[in-house]
Structure formats: structure tokens, C-alpha cells
Amino acid sequence: MMGKDLFWAIRGGGGGSFGIILWWKIKLVPVPETVTFFRVGKTLEQGGMMSRISESKIPYPHRKGILFMIQYLTAWGDGDKDPERHIDRIREVYEYMTPYVFNSPRQAYVNYRDLDLGINKNNMCFDWPITDHWGIRYYNEDNFKRLCLIFICAATPTSPASTPENFIQCVSKNSELSVPVTTTLFTPNNSSFNSILDSTATNLRFLKPSLPKPEFIFTPLHDSQVQAAVICLRKLGLQLRLRSGGHDFEGVSYTSESQAPFVIIDLVNLRRIEVNIEDTSAWVQAGATNGELYYRISQKSRVHTFPAGICTSLGIGGYITGGGYGSLLRKYGLAADNVVDALIVDVNGKILDRKAMGEDLFWAIRGGGGGSFGIILWWKIKLVSVPEKVTVFRITKTLEQGAKKIIQKWQQIADKLDEDLFLKVTTTVANGTMIGQRTIATTYEALFLGNTNGLLRIMDHSFPELGLIKKDCVEMSWIETAAFLEGRQNGTPVEYLLQSKSIFKTFFKAKSDFIKKPIPDVGLEGLWERLLEKDIQAAIIWTPYGGKMSVIPESDSPFPHRKGIIFMSQYFNTWNIGEKHPEKHINWNRKLYEYMAPYVSMSPREAYVNYRDLDIGRNKKMNNTTSFKQSRVWGEKYFKANFDRLVSVKSEVDPDNFFWHEQSVPPLLNLRAIPPLNQKKD
């Protein structure tokens, strides 16, 4: 049996590469008894069904977007003494047509074979500079890479194994442990495949059956297996997707827009945590969650913690690579601001600590986004101090209770409050006082690093409009605030933090903004009007800045959103399973984002990389490169002027762009080619 990969390859991959076809079994199609035909002076081969078939269905990629195909044909007589002039003439015509045809790459039809495009010098498919030159024209890059991989598997008699088997053999050879197949590698034929794929993914939009699925999922048990996986995936020509917690808003950690075969490395088994209270530090493996980290620290000390996120099921590996904020950001800054060392697997499969990787790469991984520079294995983090007892409260105010006046005051003081006080606002829709009436509700949630009396003094002085009183306040240990801030019932046992999988799984779309000036009444009213639209389930979450965030320079890490930011705004909406028109909800979020443009940061309009949004730009990988110009569209929104330094680091550590995804930092071969970033003042 040839298998699905070889069957895919022979239907459009060109003759003479994979074997000798003896028979084809073809599908007949119906036609009318009488048909009509006509002849025109150009080829009309595209459109119709050709536009509806995916480029990756078979190796032949020339589908959607093609108006028509052109064939240039010349002929000459048997006795022509100068045939080269005819060949040269058609070459000139071909060159002349360059501006008018599809480029990047300039496509060609393999059955109209043209050796001018490139000729193999030997029988090795991965003589890439030669074969890539013509291969991507006939098949596009993703299809051609798959053909190359199939060629190696089909043409090497000593390696008849499938891709997963080749991978297992390679990993076993290159790691300290042999790979137990049944517990670490899952293919679509495995009964556990779907449950493993779905296990930590939170955005159900990207688990639809129609979306690309990985060739297999690998869940390594040891650091050396991660090293070996990088070596082997490069050797096999497979694209990598890396998952630590599965919370990527656009599903980048477990699906791919690229047509190329891809593999998920899921770090779910790498979750050790080693806490050293005497040194006020901890080593944390990338597969551990925020909740597990909080719990393990609390076992050693009730007055130490780490300034990580409110969502406790976040994987610490990816979370810190985006900066990572939580309820302690005004006191201690970001999670990435409190990292002192790391272990990373680089593109060559080597494990590097801070000293070995150098300060540039160490800078880049602390806020430059995941999946661009290597695979984080461990973070060494600095623990911070918290009181034995802290104070929390939650108060909701509707429009009828003066929400507009209160939130306007919050905007004036949110970034100026005592740095021991974190006070965020979530705006939603609630039932009004009349039956059937809907209104706007603003919920204020706070964590204060002190007792109730101290909190009341600050609130009475700075924010009396909220009307906080003593009975609204609850004192508890810091570890107990995790459940409170996550919206769980008071008294929830802290052991819930060890439940690593998120209970939040839904269809959603999210975007982010940073606000430098209070939003006026007219802006708020338009925002609320959109929230009240029919069938919309949404929340607007405002996270206060100031405090420590205003002290740390923008260039201290790739995360640049520091001084001058009053608060960050997240626009988050969901819809139910079975929704017939999900685009309606996605478009609602996009229109809201467009509406907010006059009230948020500008030039660039800043965004938070951990709230990934492919609407603001995405990489399009062609010819094994990513356009710097395309990447800069989204890169400066996430990183501002830091994007240029990230590109320089990427160019040094991963020049061939192995660690690639839709918003990975691109390499630039000529570093001097980076044009200056125009930064305008708001």
C-alpha cells in the first residue's frame, strides 16, 4: 500500500519522481447529451471548481485567484539553421511578461515543463538552492516541501518507515531517553489524538474539523527529547508548532495557516518547579501553569509569590515570552521583568543558559513573543514579597447607579493610585431595573497589599465616588486571592490551582489597546451602545498601569508599553457552539476596534502580543523567507522601536527562519537594510 502521502504526491507532483504508474482508477463525471463549444484566442482554464479546491488538495497549487493560464509556444522547421533564435525569442517574451503575471513565485505548470526554470544537478531532493528555484514555481513552497519529504521516504529503501516512525527513530538516536511511543507521540490514527489536541486549547474557533491538523503531536518527557525534536524536525523538513498552555488567542500554538505539514510539540509533561526561598528564586519548567507555580511557592512560604497572571491555567513558558502581566504589575512589573535566567533550545538543538545565549537573546525572549527564537525549557524567576494578609473587593455599578461618573474618575486616577493597589474595571451588559431592560454594568475588582483600614484610607482620599465601605472588603492570604480574582467562589480550596486544564473553553475573538488619555463621555457612550447590540456577549476589560510600570524603560525588554499608559483595554466577545454566523461576532469585534481608534494610542496603535490578533498583520512565508515589510506592520504595534532589535537578534540566532509562525519575528539577512522606525508623538 502506498499510503495517503504518496497518493497525494503522484496526483500533480510530476512524472518520474516517485515510481512508475501502471493504472489509474478515475472518477467519471456526467455531461449533457448535447454541449456547445467555441474557440477564443486565450486559455480559459481557471475559475469555477478550480477556485474552490484548496491549493494543498494535490500538489498542483494554481487555484483560487487565477484568472487564466498563458502558454508561450514557438516552433520551427526541421531544416532551420538557427533554432536558438526561436528559443531566445520566446525567452524574451517570457521575460517581457514578468510585470503582468503572478510573482513571488512566478508560477508555472509542470506539464508544460521548462528546464530554463532550473535543472537538478544530482538526485538529492534537498539540494535546496537548485530544486527550490523551479519547485516552488510548479508547486508553491509548502507543497514542494511535502513532495521532497515524500520523495525521501519513498525513494530510500533503507528508510521505509512513515514520518512519525522516522521521527521517533531520530529522536531516540539524538536524546538521552528512548521515546515511549504510546505515551508521547499521537498521530491522527491514534484514539487519543483529538483529546490531546483539544486538551488545553481554549479558543474553540481553531479546533474546527476543517482546519489543518498536525501530522502528529509529540509530548516530550525530558529536555533532551526537546533538543532531539528540533534536530529531527529540521532534518525531516517539518514545520513546528509549540504549545505550553494552549491559550494562544489565534490558535497559533496548535494550528497553522500554512499549507505545509506541521507538528505540535506540547510541553505538557515538562512541569517541574523547584522553589528556593532562601535565594528567593525558583526554576520553573515551561509546561507548568501559573496556578501550579503559585501553589508550589505557597507550600514553602505564605509571604512570597511571583507576579504572574490572573488566569491560573496559563502555561508559564509562553506566558513570559509575551511579557506577562497580573495583579502585581503596578508593584513589581511584568513576569518577564522578574526573570533572572532561562534554558532555551536553539535552532541547532543546543541547550543554552543566560551566559551561553548572551544578553541579546536573553533580552529578546523576555517579551518578544513565543515561537520565534527557540524553545524555552526552564525559567529562573525572582520571587517577590507579599503581606501575610491582603485585601480584595468586588463592586458593580450600573448606569442607573452613576457608572459614567465613576468610570470617568477611575480614568483620572487609575495609574496614579498607590502602587500597592491594583484596581481593574470590567464592563459588560446586565439586566436593568425594568423587565426586559438591558443596561451597562461596570465591575471594579481590587487587590490591595495591606489590610482593610489601609485600603479604605486610600479609596476615601483618591476614589470616594466608588463608595467603598468596610463590609465590601475581604482579607485573605495572597494565595487565596487567585480564586477570587478568577471569579471562583470564596473558600475555594487552593488545591484547584493544580488543575492545569482551563475550564474556560469557548468561541471567542479578542483585541487590545493602550490608552494614554481618558476617554470622553461621547466615546464611552458609543462604546456602550455597541455593547448593547442584540445577541452580543462581550466584555471590555481595563487593566490599570502606572506604579512600577512607569519606572521601567521601554527598551528594558521587548515589551514597550510603559510610561504614559493609563490602562490597557481588552475587547473580548464570545458566541455559542452551533452559531450559524460566527463571522458576525468577529466582525462586531473588528468594528468596535475601528470605532475606538480616536481614543487610543497612535503611531503606532499599540497592542499586547499575548493577546495575539492576526487582524493587525501576519507573515506570508514565500521562498523560505518572511517579508520584513509585512512583519513590521504588526511588529511595531506589539514592540514599537524594540522590533528592530528583535529582528537583529532573530537574524543572528535563526537566520533560516526555522522557528516560524504567522506572527513570528522575521530574520533579515542584511541587518543594515532595517529602515528607521518613524515614531510619532500622540
Side-chain angles (χ1 to χ4, degrees):
M1 303 295 287
M2 73 176 75
K4 65 177 183 179
D5 284 334
L6 183 54
F7 184 62
W8 175 87
I10 62 176
R11 293 175 299 128
S17 291
F18 304 98
I20 301 175
I21 302 295
L22 295 176
W23 293 78
W24 290 109
K25 182 178 180 180
I26 61 173
K27 179 176 64 176
L28 305 184
V29 298
V31 294
E33 290 186 3
T34 302
V35 299
T36 304
F37 73 94
F38 64 92
R39 181 176 289 115
V40 296
K42 63 179 180 179
T43 304
L44 292 172
E45 296 193 6
Q46 307 295 71
M49 179 62 77
M50 292 296 287
S51 295
R52 295 194 292 272
I53 299 174
S54 166
E55 287 188 3
S56 62
K57 178 73 173 178
I58 62 173
Y60 181 100
H62 320 296
R63 306 285 188 172
K64 187 176 181 181
I66 303 294
L67 295 179
F68 56 90
M69 178 176 67
I70 300 177
Q71 181 183 9
Y72 313 105
L73 182 66
T74 187
W76 54 91
D78 184 47
D80 197 308
K81 296 181 180 180
D82 189 15
E84 283 299 320
R85 68 186 175 91
H86 301 284
I87 297 173
D88 288 342
R89 182 59 177 165
I90 204 150
R91 287 170 176 160
E92 290 172 3
V93 172
Y94 184 78
E95 183 177 354
Y96 167 78
M97 290 296 293
T98 300
Y100 308 110
V101 299
F102 185 86
N103 286 288
S104 300
R106 184 170 181 176
Q107 299 182 16
Y109 177 34
V110 68
N111 273 4
Y112 293 165
R113 194 179 305 280
D114 180 8
L115 296 184
D116 287 348
L117 301 180
I119 301 174
N120 294 339
K121 300 300 182 183
N122 55 50
N123 64 351
M124 292 304 295
C125 184
F126 280 104
D127 191 352
W128 196 256
I130 296 174
T131 56
D132 182 50
H133 188 69
W134 57 262
I136 62 172
R137 295 170 185 255
Y138 290 144
Y139 308 113
N140 82 24
E141 183 182 9
D142 293 335
N143 286 354
F144 186 56
K145 281 187 174 180
R146 185 176 178 188
L147 286 169
C148 285
L149 183 61
I150 294 168
F151 172 83
I152 290 176
C153 294
T156 308
T158 56
S159 302
S162 67
T163 298
E165 289 170 337
N166 283 334
F167 177 81
I168 289 294
Q169 292 170 8
C170 180
V171 169
S172 298
K173 180 180 178 181
N174 287 279
S175 68
E176 297 176 11
L177 300 176
S178 61
V179 181
V181 178
T182 57
T183 58
T184 61
L185 189 138
F186 305 87
T187 70
N189 295 325
N190 188 292
S191 60
S192 300
F193 177 81
N194 287 330
S195 63
I196 296 295
L197 178 63
D198 300 355
S199 59
T200 59
T202 57
N203 195 341
L204 300 182
R205 285 172 58 201
F206 302 103
L207 293 178
K208 294 188 297 185
S210 59
L211 291 177
K213 299 295 184 290
E215 297 290 300
F216 55 86
I217 303 169
F218 180 50
T219 57
L221 300 172
H222 189 269
D223 292 350
S224 67
Q225 291 180 339
V226 181
Q227 290 180 271
V230 170
I231 294 169
C232 297
L233 290 177
R234 291 188 70 191
K235 182 177 180 180
L236 293 171
L238 292 169
Q239 191 181 106
L240 167 67
R241 284 292 188 264
L242 179 65
R243 182 165 76 176
S244 59
H247 284 251
D248 191 287
F249 278 16
E250 297 279 21
V252 167
S253 62
Y254 50 93
T255 188
S256 173
E257 291 186 352
S258 168
Q259 305 273 330
F262 71 98
V263 169
I264 295 174
I265 295 182
D266 192 326
L267 303 180
V268 64
N269 293 323
L270 303 179
R271 54 196 327 121
R272 284 171 52 201
I273 299 171
E274 300 172 1
V275 178
N276 186 337
I277 294 298
E278 289 72 24
D279 188 38
T280 61
S281 69
W283 278 100
V284 190
Q285 276 190 307
T289 65
N290 285 343
E292 288 172 320
L293 177 58
Y294 295 153
Y295 183 83
R296 298 305 177 196
I297 296 172
S298 73
Q299 285 185 308
K300 297 289 184 72
S301 170
R302 305 289 277 189
V303 293
H304 289 88
T305 191
F306 181 66
I310 291 172
C311 180
T312 59
S313 59
L314 286 170
I316 202 75
Y319 170 74
I320 293 179
T321 61
Y325 79 91
S327 60
L328 295 177
L329 87 163
R330 303 189 68 249
K331 179 70 172 181
Y332 294 112
L334 305 173
D337 297 329
N338 292 275
V339 170
V340 294
D341 205 343
L343 296 181
I344 185 174
V345 177
D346 73 358
V347 71
N348 298 310
K350 296 180 179 179
I351 295 181
L352 308 175
D353 63 7
R354 178 175 182 174
K355 182 178 180 180
M357 76 177 77
E359 288 303 303
D360 283 338
L361 181 53
F362 184 64
W363 174 87
I365 61 178
R366 293 176 299 119
S372 289
F373 304 100
I375 300 178
I376 301 295
L377 294 176
W378 293 80
W379 293 110
K380 184 178 182 182
I381 60 172
K382 179 176 63 178
L383 305 185
V384 299
S385 299
V386 290
E388 288 191 7
K389 290 291 183 179
V390 299
T391 307
V392 297
F393 70 79
R394 181 183 293 117
I395 294 178
T396 297
K397 298 291 185 180
T398 64
L399 289 180
E400 293 76 12
Q401 296 169 320
K404 182 190 293 186
K405 177 182 177 182
I406 296 171
I407 204 166
Q408 279 292 14
K409 180 59 180 290
W410 180 89
Q411 291 188 88
Q412 299 290 335
I413 54 91
D415 62 323
K416 303 175 184 66
L417 290 170
D418 190 295
E419 66 178 17
D420 286 339
L421 176 58
F422 172 82
L423 177 57
K424 74 170 186 175
V425 188
T426 302
T427 303
T428 56
V429 172
N431 292 327
T433 54
M434 310 254 326
I435 296 177
Q437 180 191 28
R438 301 164 76 234
T439 189
I440 293 296
T442 56
T443 299
Y444 295 80
E445 288 182 313
L447 166 68
F448 177 62
L449 300 178
N451 59 31
T452 300
N453 291 334
L455 173 59
L456 288 172
R457 281 194 297 271
I458 292 173
M459 293 295 289
D460 289 344
H461 177 263
S462 301
F463 197 15
E465 291 82 358
L466 188 60
L468 181 70
I469 58 177
K470 190 168 185 177
K471 72 174 184 179
D472 297 321
C473 304
V474 180
E475 293 185 0
M476 59 181 66
S477 66
W478 191 91
I479 190 66
E480 291 172 317
T481 68
F484 176 86
L485 293 174
E486 216 170 15
R488 296 175 181 264
Q489 291 183 345
N490 287 344
T492 298
V494 295
E495 284 73 21
Y496 95 90
L497 296 169
L498 300 177
Q499 299 172 5
S500 58
K501 295 180 181 179
S502 174
I503 61 172
F504 178 82
K505 287 178 177 283
T506 188
F507 298 85
F508 70 86
K509 175 64 182 174
K511 291 178 179 288
S512 62
D513 265 320
F514 288 87
I515 285 72
K516 297 183 175 182
K517 298 177 182 178
I519 300 171
D521 284 350
V522 64
L524 293 175
E525 289 164 1
L527 173 63
W528 295 338
E529 179 182 333
R530 286 158 176 79
L531 276 175
L532 288 166
E533 289 181 14
K534 184 179 180 182
D535 298 328
I536 296 301
Q537 306 170 47
I540 311 299
I541 304 167
W542 288 359
T543 301
Y545 272 51
K548 185 74 169 180
M549 293 298 290
S550 296
V551 175
I552 301 173
E554 286 190 3
S555 61
D556 197 62
S557 74
F559 184 100
H561 321 292
R562 306 283 189 171
K563 187 176 181 181
I565 302 295
I566 301 175
F567 60 93
M568 179 176 66
S569 180
Q570 181 185 177
Y571 318 111
F572 190 92
N573 67 309
T574 66
W575 54 96
N576 298 324
I577 189 170
E579 170 63 57
K580 295 181 180 179
H581 304 288
E583 281 298 320
K584 174 183 71 172
H585 301 279
I586 296 172
N587 289 334
W588 178 88
N589 197 298
R590 289 169 176 162
K591 290 177 182 177
L592 178 64
Y593 184 75
E594 183 178 351
Y595 166 79
M596 290 298 295
Y599 308 111
V600 300
S601 61
M602 303 175 188
S603 302
R605 183 173 182 177
E606 300 174 39
Y608 177 37
V609 68
N610 272 0
Y611 291 164
R612 193 182 305 283
D613 178 12
L614 294 183
D615 289 346
I616 66 174
R618 64 189 75 198
N619 297 331
K620 294 181 181 178
K621 191 177 182 186
M622 293 182 177
N623 302 330
N624 208 35
T625 62
T626 294
S627 166
F628 173 78
K629 185 177 180 180
Q630 290 173 345
S631 300
R632 194 169 213 173
V633 173
W634 55 262
E636 67 175 32
K637 295 178 184 291
Y638 290 143
F639 308 114
K640 299 176 70 175
N642 293 334
F643 183 62
D644 287 355
R645 185 177 175 189
L646 288 170
V647 170
S648 296
V649 175
K650 173 74 169 185
S651 303
E652 292 291 335
V653 303
D654 185 20
D656 295 326
N657 209 15
F658 172 70
F659 294 108
W660 179 91
H661 59 72
E662 287 74 11
Q663 281 187 345
S664 58
V665 174
L668 198 64
L669 295 180
N670 181 4
L671 297 184
R672 295 178 182 176
I674 300 179
L677 185 66
N678 295 323
Q679 292 288 335
K680 300 177 182 178
K681 293 184 178 180
D682 294 338

